[in-house]
Amino acid sequence: MNGNILSFDEARSRLLGFARPVREIDPVDTLFAAGRVLAVTQRSAINLPPMDNSGMDGYALRAADVPAAGTRLPVSQRIPAGSVGHELAPGTAARIFTGAPLPPGADTVVMQELCEHDGEHVVVNAVPRLGEAVRRMGEDIAAGGELLPAGLRLSPQAVALAASVGLAQLPVYRRVKVAMFSTGSELVMPGEPLPPGGIYNSNRFMLRGLLAALGCEVEDFGIVPDRLDATRDVLRRAAEGHDLILTSGGVSVGEEDHVKPAVEAEGSLDMWKIAMKPGKPLAYGRVHGAAFIGLPGNPVSSFVTFVMLVRPFLLATQGVGETDPVALTLRADFDWPKPDRRREFLRARINARGEVEVFANQGSAALHSTVWATGLVDIPAGTVIERGEPVRFLPYGELLH
């Protein structure tokens, strides 16, 4: 293992290089495909829309038949959505509803608000523009065109698009299987009495939630006491049938930190210290065929290292093509006068002025800061920030899915 401290960019690049994408494909019903990663590019077999149709409730007609506002036309037919009209005779209009196919001969739809119904006639009170309120066949997706690319995490909008062209199933990669556990003899589960020196295990809840948001299949091995033999035993069991073992705590160099030597005894450790704050002690290795990532025990460090490093690793393992979060450039509503040698990620949020403010306590145990914040400010190593300067803001919306 390289004992040197890696920069954040080096660590991220190496983690992505270590990721082994899953290749098994599961065909799933489109109704249940949201959140999964598409394995094969999908193309549309039909045009969308499949035919010219009305974009609103109104009257279908020939634009040339309305040379002036106040033109009065007989209404020759009524076309609700789901039905098909007959050819429109010149000099007439058809009552039409949103989504209904445009009758042959019609080239324009006038919204009903610009018309007056007059018995069996309609008075059109505005001169229409040719093609107004008409959705053209194939204007959204043409038959044979690419619908959804491989490597896309399917959003609700994406599965709706697939359904709109009749795709009942989608080929997706199987879920990434993650084994997780926490280390620390001081850890206690909520609901249990808190003994002297004990702390409630918050990381277990946080990491399970983060993994679930990424669509992982999680097996939780609970809390492991600070003993080398116990840590080695659970590592062996966790490696069976899992793509990744994810732990929190025990990756530093204290006498009670047994994860690092346990991983080295059961497998290999390829990466350890990273020049980032919070989160310096993050470990990567392999144990009996499974990838291993050990996060720091401090809850904020665990959170930040997960969203900034574990998330892209898992996305790459899932087969996602794009793992970089989209950042916003915003004005700082704070001063950061003491630069660190490490790259810093500050808990922050956008205020009413559209500027970024940071939480007062940036300590690695201040878990409340992660709830107060709506994202992270990314500050390069050795950088001083003055109020009003542009900063790189990473919204939680980009980091938590």
Side-chain angles (χ1 to χ4, degrees), residues 245-269:
I245 304 168
L246 182 67
T247 69
S248 63
V251 291
S252 192
V253 292
E255 293 181 7
E256 299 300 322
D257 294 320
H258 299 294
V259 172
K260 180 174 175 286
V263 172
E264 291 175 320
E266 295 293 333
S268 62
L269 198 61

Side-chain angles (χ1 to χ4, degrees), residues 8 15 203 206-207 210 274 276-280 282 295-296 298-312 343-348 362-367 369-370 373 375-378 394 396 399-400:
F8 173 83
L15 274 175
N203 282 351
M206 177 176 64
L207 295 177
L210 290 168
I274 301 172
M276 65 180 293
K277 182 181 180 180
K280 178 181 175 181
L282 179 140
L295 302 178
N298 281 324
V300 174
S301 298
S302 188
F303 173 77
V304 172
T305 50
F306 185 99
V307 299
M308 296 308 304
L309 292 170
V310 180
R311 173 186 172 274
R343 188 161 171 178
E344 297 183 88
F345 296 93
L346 311 180
R347 281 79 73 202
Q362 291 290 324
S364 59
L367 187 57
S369 65
T370 63
L376 302 175
V377 170
D378 179 3
L394 298 165
Y396 279 169
L399 300 176
L400 301 182

Side-chain angles (χ1 to χ4, degrees), residues 184-190 192-195 198-202 223:
S185 299
E186 77 281 9
L187 296 178
V188 179
M189 285 297 291
E192 299 176 1
L194 193 64
I199 59 172
Y200 286 120
N201 185 2
S202 59
I223 300 171

Side-chain angles (χ1 to χ4, degrees), residues 268-294:
S268 62
L269 198 61
D270 302 297
M271 193 172 77
W272 183 25
K273 297 178 181 178
I274 301 172
M276 65 180 293
K277 182 181 180 180
K280 178 181 175 181
L282 179 140
Y284 174 84
R286 297 198 69 85
V287 177
H288 303 300
F292 166 84
I293 297 179

Side-chain angles (χ1 to χ4, degrees), residues 5-170:
I5 297 179
L6 298 175
S7 72
F8 173 83
D9 287 334
E10 289 172 330
R12 188 181 185 283
S13 177
R14 289 186 64 177
L15 274 175
L16 291 176
F18 288 137
R20 299 179 182 178
V22 296
R23 294 302 181 196
E24 299 91 335
I25 297 176
D26 293 331
V28 300
D29 288 348
T30 301
L31 188 61
F32 306 109
R36 304 294 294 272
V37 179
L38 190 65
V40 180
T41 295
Q42 299 297 292
R43 296 185 176 276
S44 177
I46 65 171
N47 289 304
L48 188 67
M51 59 188 69
D52 292 353
N53 68 81
S54 178
M56 57 185 60
D57 294 348
Y59 292 85
L61 43 77
R62 289 175 170 83
D65 288 340
V66 186
T71 299
R72 189 168 181 265
L73 300 173
V75 178
S76 58
Q77 56 184 306
R78 184 177 185 274
I79 313 172
S83 64
V84 178
H86 53 78
E87 185 162 357
L88 187 71
T92 70
R95 178 72 166 122
I96 198 167
F97 296 87
T98 304
L102 208 65
D107 57 26
T108 300
V109 174
V110 181
M111 70 170 70
Q112 62 187 15
E113 291 83 357
L114 297 178
C115 301
E116 294 179 33
H117 183 70
D118 181 16
E120 295 182 353
H121 292 74
V122 63
V123 177
V124 183
N125 291 320
V127 177
R129 174 174 44 84
L130 179 65
E132 185 175 328
V134 175
R135 301 167 177 162
R136 296 298 180 189
M137 180 179 70
E139 72 176 21
D140 190 6
I141 296 290
E146 182 176 305
L147 188 73
L148 300 168
L152 175 70
R153 177 177 293 283
L154 294 165
S155 63
Q157 309 93 287
V159 296
L161 183 61
S164 73
V165 298
L167 294 176
Q169 286 193 326
L170 290 170

